[in-house]
Amino acid sequence: MKLFDVFNRGGGARGFHTAIVTTFGVDFGAFEHVLLPQFEGSGATNIVLMGDERMLALAANEGAVRPLRAGAHYLVHPVRTPKGGVFHSKIALQLGRQGARLIVGSANATGPGLGGNRELVAELKCDDKQSADQIIVTQVWRYLEQLADQGAHAELAREALAWARARTPSLARIETAPSPVALSDGTPSAFLAEAGDGARSIMARYMDLIGEGPIDQLIVMSPYWDDGLDACRELISRLSPARTQILIQPRQKLFPTHALGLLNADLYDVDAGDAQVRRFTHAKLIIARRGGVDHVLIGSANCTRAALGRADGSGAINGEACLYRALPAGLVERQLELSALLAAAPLAADALNPQDLGEDIPLAETAARLPGVFQRDGARLQWRPTAAFKGAAIQLLDRNGGVIGEIASASWRPTADHWLQCDLDIDGEPVRFARALSSSGVSLDAIVTHSAHLAGRRKERATQKAARASALLEDLD
């Protein structure tokens, strides 16, 4: 099932006041035309998009379309991981007074993530009564509160989350969140997240949940791997499986075939027997089988050291989010229709194409051109510049990228909380983006966040029809 279909299932859920999405890659056109109407139709007026700060900047500047409603109808919160990795978690959390809906998985907020790729997600729902499902939601909530402090718009993100918390009574009921917990179907589950801050790794916590002793079978599906298969080799070394089966997509040429000699495992083509399907398999899955139990890990983490870390708790540098489930052996395999594939003959190593990763995403180059963050409150514009663009002049842009004003570097004055501030005198088209101009070059365009407008939109709406009508009418004009 595609992520878009998950959101659409049942005709669209209602009764939510808040929606929070975390993502690595983002396509603002897909977000604003697919997810945003879903959230607004559910009643949400407090909407937050958290993403890797460099990927958000690339999408805003080089994506197929510019964001038209970012900063005015939803908060864009750029996140930077403390250890220098990427912010990679993929979560959608909808909150209301009567319950919550949580999706954790592999899908980015992009067109392929929502409807093109093969993705793997888990969905949990809970009402306002205390339950194990609610404990998982609370664990996710605490992770999101941590992310609010890691981003460039920390104050606004904390404000949005505080508004949501005050209107979601269930979040305040659970002071401690044990792990794992038994869900409503009786199976153990745990939320395993990594904020890239050096906390205990996902691999270490996954090992704890599996327990001591060798396992019968290890199944790993991942689109991306370490160059030397380090994380996969450590899983095998620590778990001592009688058999290891690796699911790859050979035609994508992403698997490091040069490291196969280091791996004692059988490889299988996820496209086998399905010649009509040409979708990219972006799903991530680990199954450690012992006896009648599958210890299942799904989510954003590829089978890499940066994502999973080491079994001793160290090593992870990315921001990731995964869900652990202990399920009857073979259940996930059957649900994903993998049984026949895994029962077939494995791939011949000499038939695999050499790895070809293509061009790297220019993350370092993008980071060097970030101008900082901008917030507008009425006639006041605030700027927290990056070191590269301190002292720069600023161009103000409309929603189409046209220049509608300029601010000289001497016009800014410092504030007590380390922002720069100036007064605006611009009529007509609202300011939606800003770019910095310095002797060293021109920055990327940054979204201008309209803090007072966002705060004014936050309200609890009674009906889906009213929510959509208000969303169409409200703007900055």
Side-chain angles (χ1 to χ4, degrees):
M1 181 176 286
K2 299 175 182 178
L3 183 58
F4 175 73
D5 295 326
V6 175
F7 278 106
N8 261 341
R9 190 161 47 195
R14 298 172 176 83
F16 299 119
H17 51 65
T18 294
I20 304 171
V21 172
T22 71
T23 187
F24 172 62
V26 63
D27 171 352
F28 281 105
F31 183 81
E32 294 189 350
H33 290 95
V34 179
L35 287 183
L36 199 58
Q38 292 277 351
F39 296 148
E40 291 174 334
S42 75
T45 58
N46 182 36
I47 301 170
V48 181
L49 174 64
M50 298 183 177
D52 184 277
E53 66 171 354
R54 298 155 298 185
M55 294 299 288
L56 288 172
L58 281 173
N61 284 266
E62 299 179 9
V65 296
R66 276 183 174 266
L68 299 179
R69 300 174 64 189
H73 287 230
Y74 61 96
L75 174 63
V76 177
H77 182 57
V79 178
R80 179 185 304 170
T81 54
K83 294 290 183 179
V86 298
F87 178 71
H88 197 250
S89 72
K90 296 121 170 58
I91 295 170
L93 178 63
Q94 294 172 275
L95 296 170
R97 288 189 180 272
Q98 303 303 317
R101 182 190 195 191
L102 170 66
I103 296 172
V104 178
S106 63
N108 285 301
T110 61
L114 294 173
N117 295 340
R118 286 172 173 155
E119 305 283 0
L120 184 56
V121 302
E123 181 184 19
L124 290 179
K125 296 178 182 178
C126 65
D127 56 24
D128 60 343
K129 298 178 178 62
Q130 188 161 330
S131 65
D133 303 72
Q134 195 180 91
I135 290 174
I136 297 292
V137 169
T138 302
Q139 292 173 336
V140 173
W141 175 258
R142 290 176 180 168
Y143 172 65
L144 295 175
E145 287 183 318
Q146 186 178 1
L147 296 180
D149 291 329
Q150 287 186 6
H153 282 302
E155 300 93 336
L156 295 183
R158 285 194 294 264
E159 180 182 307
L161 267 60
W163 187 93
R165 185 183 182 93
R167 289 157 182 81
T168 313
S170 60
L171 293 175
R173 292 199 194 113
I174 301 170
E175 291 302 321
T176 59
S179 185
V181 296
L183 297 181
S184 55
D185 62 3
T187 59
S189 180
F191 176 65
L192 305 182
E194 170 61 61
D197 57 357
R200 200 155 178 265
S201 69
I202 289 174
M203 182 184 287
R205 285 174 280 170
Y206 181 50
M207 294 289 185
D208 289 344
L209 290 163
I210 295 170
E212 296 291 333
I215 64 172
D216 303 322
Q217 186 176 1
L218 177 66
I219 300 170
V220 183
M221 177 163 55
S222 175
Y224 300 105
W225 308 79
D226 297 305
D227 186 62
L229 295 167
D230 298 13
C232 188
R233 289 162 53 204
E234 183 164 12
L235 284 171
I236 295 171
S237 173
R238 294 283 182 155
L239 295 172
S240 301
R243 186 182 188 189
T244 300
Q245 295 176 288
I246 306 295
L247 295 166
I248 64 172
Q249 200 168 21
R251 65 183 178 83
Q252 295 290 342
K253 302 180 183 178
L254 297 176
F255 187 80
T257 52
H258 54 270
L260 266 177
L262 304 173
L263 199 66
N264 181 21
D266 294 325
L267 273 59
Y268 298 83
D269 183 353
V270 295
D271 289 338
D274 199 356
Q276 299 303 312
V277 175
R278 309 303 293 173
R279 296 158 65 194
F280 175 43
T281 299
H282 190 247
K284 300 98 164 69
L285 170 70
I286 302 176
I287 300 175
R289 179 172 298 162
R290 180 188 289 127
V293 178
D294 278 352
H295 299 272
V296 181
L297 189 72
I298 70 169
S300 66
N302 289 297
C303 191
T304 63
R305 187 73 81 201
L308 294 175
R310 295 183 172 86
D312 66 5
S314 67
I317 59 173
N318 288 353
E320 306 282 359
C322 295
L323 197 67
Y324 163 85
R325 299 289 304 274
L327 297 168
L331 177 63
V332 171
E333 192 178 313
R334 291 190 296 273
Q335 288 179 335
L336 298 180
E337 299 180 354
L338 298 175
S339 300
L341 188 157
L342 292 171
L347 294 169
D350 57 5
L352 297 175
N353 293 314
Q355 186 184 44
D356 181 6
L357 296 177
E359 294 184 9
D360 290 336
I361 302 173
L363 296 179
E365 297 86 345
T366 301
R369 295 186 61 201
L370 296 174
V373 293
F374 295 85
Q375 295 178 187
R376 183 176 183 179
D377 185 355
R380 182 182 63 186
L381 182 67
Q382 291 185 307
W383 175 34
R384 184 170 283 165
T386 57
F389 288 98
K390 283 183 178 178
I394 298 298
Q395 284 185 336
L396 305 175
L397 315 174
D398 62 21
R399 65 195 302 168
N400 298 312
V403 178
I404 56 175
E406 296 192 9
I407 302 172
S409 58
S411 299
W412 297 98
R413 55 187 184 274
T415 67
D417 52 356
H418 308 293
W419 288 81
L420 298 178
Q421 181 175 295
C422 72
D423 296 324
L424 288 182
D425 184 18
I426 294 179
D427 297 322
E429 181 70 21
V431 177
R432 304 305 282 267
F433 303 93
R435 72 167 65 110
L437 310 175
S438 73
S439 57
S440 60
V442 180
S443 77
L444 296 172
D445 296 351
I447 295 166
V448 175
T449 300
H450 295 257
S451 54
H453 188 78
L454 283 172
R457 293 190 78 246
R458 293 188 192 112
K459 60 193 74 171
E460 293 183 84
R461 290 179 173 146
T463 68
Q464 186 181 43
K465 185 175 181 180
R468 286 181 172 157
S470 294
L472 290 172
L473 292 172
E474 289 177 356
D475 208 333
L476 297 173
D477 300 282

